[in-house]
Amino acid sequence: MSYDIRLVKLINGETVLGKWDEETKCLKDLAILQTVPTQQGVQMMLMPFGYPFETEIAGEIKADHILYTYKSFPEELKNKYIEATSNLTISSARDLSALNKMAAGGKSPSGLILK
């Protein structure tokens, strides 16, 4: 099933990710995007919208409370949101190429040399 995942700015200034429901004109399964300053720059953190009182990504917000919808945002952020809401891990092409390098010239679990 394909979801229309959107990154939006709410009227209170918070940045939220969620699944858009065209039928009800609501954003569902909300995760808030928090920025955390670090020595290297800024790190982004996804948390349930109701955190710390709710620990699961849930809830909904009507379109009336959305100030701005981002037209594009990093695919990695979308993947992290899907992982958080589904408990599945999404592999990238980079992960698969690293797996290939690990097997090249190494030994398999049975002790055979891989080439």
Side-chain angles (χ1 to χ4, degrees):
M1 174 180 242
S2 176
Y3 293 109
D4 182 6
I5 298 170
R6 296 188 182 184
L7 178 67
V8 302
K9 179 78 76 168
L10 301 179
I11 57 174
N12 65 357
E14 293 177 327
T15 306
V16 175
L17 267 93
K19 298 171 188 165
W20 179 252
D21 186 348
E22 188 63 38
E23 205 173 287
T24 60
K25 303 287 188 209
C26 289
L27 199 61
K28 296 183 177 190
D29 296 337
L30 303 171
I32 190 165
L33 185 64
Q34 293 283 325
T35 54
V36 180
T38 65
Q39 289 181 340
Q40 293 80 22
V42 177
Q43 214 173 35
M44 290 187 272
M45 228 173 36
L46 273 179
M47 299 186 321
F49 188 74
Y51 188 81
F53 304 108
E54 294 179 352
T55 56
E56 294 198 16
I57 295 177
E60 64 181 52
I61 289 183
K62 293 184 180 185
D64 300 342
H65 302 287
I66 296 173
L67 181 64
Y68 181 79
T69 301
Y70 292 88
K71 291 189 187 281
S72 64
F73 58 97
E75 194 69 27
E76 185 178 354
L77 189 57
K78 191 180 286 189
N79 289 344
K80 292 297 179 188
Y81 173 80
I82 292 170
E83 287 178 4
T85 57
S86 67
N87 290 326
L88 296 174
T89 302
I90 299 174
S91 294
S92 68
R94 185 179 63 212
D95 296 336
L96 296 176
S97 68
L99 182 62
N100 188 26
K101 289 177 187 173
M102 288 173 43
K107 288 188 177 182
S108 69
S110 64
L112 298 173
I113 296 177
L114 302 173
K115 294 199 183 210

